[in-house]
Amino acid sequence: MRDRSKGRRLFFISALFVVLLNFPLLSIFNSGGTVGGVPVLYLYIMVVWLLCIGVIGFYINHQDPRKQKK
């Protein structure tokens, strides 16, 4: 049952990042401006992508305190 719950949460996290990388939000950041010489759209995509990897990696490697050995 615990694996099923973890799978559902991972699916929710993935769906959230799909929404963040979908058209309506991408069009907001496609303004033509730059931050430190990097286009805002590219910076947004890179930050969201790295955040996605970090959150999923943290969630997968996070141990349940109830499962820790004493």
Side-chain angles (χ1 to χ4, degrees):
M1 176 119 169
R2 191 80 176 135
D3 292 332
R4 195 177 236 176
S5 174
K6 195 171 194 175
R8 287 181 184 156
R9 289 181 184 155
L10 285 173
F11 178 76
F12 174 74
I13 291 168
S14 299
L16 175 66
F17 284 110
V18 164
V19 169
L20 289 175
L21 290 172
N22 211 340
F23 171 69
L25 287 177
L26 287 179
S27 66
I28 292 171
F29 293 98
N30 193 12
S31 63
T34 61
V35 174
V38 178
V40 175
L41 179 63
Y42 294 168
L43 187 64
Y44 173 76
I45 290 172
M46 184 60 70
V47 168
V48 170
W49 180 64
L50 289 174
L51 189 65
C52 176
I53 292 171
V55 168
I56 290 175
F58 175 77
Y59 185 73
I60 288 175
N61 291 327
H62 180 71
Q63 289 186 347
D64 190 6
R66 293 175 284 181
K67 290 186 178 181
Q68 290 180 353
K69 294 181 182 178
K70 294 181 181 179

